[in-house]
Amino acid sequence: MKRWRLWCVVLYLALDTWFGVARADTFRPAYFELRQVDAQRFDVVWKVPALDRTTPMAMHVRFPDGTTVESQARTAFTGDALVQEWRVRRSGGLVGQAIGFEGRATGATDIIARVEWADGTSQVERLPVARTEFVVAAPATVGTVAWSYGVLGVEHILGGIDHLLFVLALLLVVHGGRRIVATITAFTAAHSLTLAAATFGWVHVPGAPVEATIALSIVFVAAEVIRGMRGRPGLAARAPWVVAFAFGLLHGFGFAGALAEVGLPQTAIPVALLTFNIGVELGQLAFVGVVLGLVSLARRCVPQWPAWTRYAPAYTIGGTAACWTIQRTLSIFA
């Protein structure tokens, strides 16, 4: 085996392990929801990832003092999560009160927290692993909704390893500032279309096949990168914006699946959808800027890199995505 191929294999095995641990299943946080019934009563939905019906993550909700349970919790298993629903009551309501999460598994996964008010406005918080509580805010203004969903969009794209790997693979095959801008713009336009269509219910595609095909799209672009390096440029090299647009439609369904986990405020759906998409785009552009900056810095620090380093990123991306494709395809039939 040639030396550069050996290094590629070693690098692939190391990074494949890291990517698998980091987030092969891109958006599977715990989910907490409060739906206001009246000034003092709220319906609660608590969804935690689970291996099976009897093995959920060891996490539970901590309400502020003075909160009482009005109804027995109803429990259901959805295939990958345990869902509990019940009603609570607190004199004076919950505005300004902290709701926390406790248990052995606290800190093992993100938590999406949502408060749905009777007037249709909502509060959305994403709690990273280091944050275990949030404060219930008064019914949101349009500006608050815009900010919340914009931040959620940024956090989602930066936490979605598969979407970022697709963008990274495109950067490997596209050269030149104008071509990069055209390619990223095509990807953005496409996923904006399908995100809107899926969110408004005009199109429905099952989540599991979408996730498997997203992984396969990364394999395709990584293979195109390698073909180009070997002197046989394919469609992604000749017309990258076409590939970016086609697969961007697919990735939009993935973004819609993430947004469906959180829900939309009924009184501000267009604002929430627009700002979520803007947040996704800002996070994506930030990622592109960081990658291009690191590449420029690496070239200045080490003008002449070993030949095998040209192939390592494409093999790593393609191999990781191939593993995800197999895993996600098997999960469809599990």
Side-chain angles (χ1 to χ4, degrees):
M1 180 180 291
K2 293 182 179 180
R3 186 175 180 182
W4 69 265
R5 291 183 179 177
L6 177 60
W7 278 107
C8 285
V9 171
V10 171
L11 184 62
Y12 159 67
L13 291 174
L15 292 185
D16 181 54
T17 300
W18 183 85
F19 281 131
V21 172
R23 192 165 287 183
D25 191 3
T26 58
F27 199 83
R28 195 168 171 253
Y31 178 73
F32 172 78
E33 180 178 275
L34 284 176
R35 289 196 292 263
Q36 185 184 32
V37 177
D38 55 36
Q40 299 183 354
R41 296 185 300 164
F42 293 82
D43 286 333
V44 181
V45 178
W46 176 230
K47 178 180 178 182
V48 292
L51 296 177
D52 52 48
R53 293 179 181 274
T54 60
T55 319
M57 294 187 72
M59 301 172 63
H60 61 271
V61 185
R62 184 191 72 245
F63 286 96
D65 294 340
T67 305
T68 58
V69 176
E70 279 203 343
S71 65
Q72 189 69 26
R74 301 184 301 276
T75 302
F77 181 67
T78 63
D80 62 359
L82 201 67
V83 181
Q84 292 182 310
E85 299 184 35
W86 68 97
R87 179 171 291 181
V88 298
R89 177 188 180 94
R90 185 179 186 278
S91 179
L94 290 172
V95 173
Q97 299 298 314
I99 295 176
F101 303 91
E102 300 176 336
R104 294 192 311 275
T106 304
T109 185
D110 292 356
I111 300 171
I112 297 296
R114 174 183 170 86
V115 181
E116 184 74 27
W117 296 100
D119 64 1
T121 60
S122 62
Q123 172 188 358
V124 179
E125 302 270 353
R126 182 170 184 173
L127 281 62
V129 293
R131 184 181 169 197
T132 58
E133 67 176 29
F134 76 101
V135 175
V136 178
T141 63
V142 172
T144 304
V145 170
W147 174 260
S148 297
Y149 279 84
V151 170
L152 191 66
V154 173
E155 291 177 340
H156 174 63
I157 187 64
L158 295 182
I161 298 297
D162 51 357
H163 298 301
L164 293 182
L165 281 188
F166 180 81
V167 174
L168 180 57
L170 286 176
L171 292 178
L172 292 175
V173 80
V174 180
H175 304 288
R178 290 185 178 180
R179 286 169 66 86
I180 290 176
V181 170
T183 301
I184 298 301
T185 300
F187 182 63
T188 299
H191 71 61
S192 299
L193 290 174
T194 46
L195 173 59
T199 300
F200 286 114
W202 301 334
V203 180
H204 175 72
V205 180
V210 166
E211 294 299 330
T213 313
I214 285 174
L216 188 61
S217 72
I218 303 170
V219 175
F220 172 82
V221 179
E224 289 283 280
V225 174
I226 295 169
R227 282 169 54 90
M229 290 179 176
R230 292 176 174 173
R232 302 194 305 272
L235 178 62
R238 296 194 303 270
W241 45 87
V242 174
V243 173
F245 187 87
F247 286 130
L249 295 173
L250 185 66
H251 284 247
F253 287 119
F255 295 141
L259 194 56
E261 291 278 351
V262 179
L264 291 167
Q266 295 304 305
T267 58
I269 290 178
V271 172
L273 181 60
L274 174 63
T275 53
F276 178 84
N277 202 48
I278 290 174
V280 168
E281 181 61 15
L282 290 176
Q284 183 176 278
L285 290 174
F287 173 74
V288 170
V290 169
V291 170
L292 294 179
L294 289 175
V295 169
S296 176
L297 180 63
R299 287 175 176 171
R300 290 183 180 182
C301 294
V302 185
Q304 187 65 39
W305 287 82
W308 63 267
T309 58
R310 296 180 59 246
Y311 292 86
Y315 275 107
T316 301
I317 292 170
T320 301
C323 291
W324 288 346
T325 302
I326 295 170
Q327 292 171 356
R328 296 176 183 184
T329 301
L330 291 176
S331 71
I332 298 174
F333 304 101

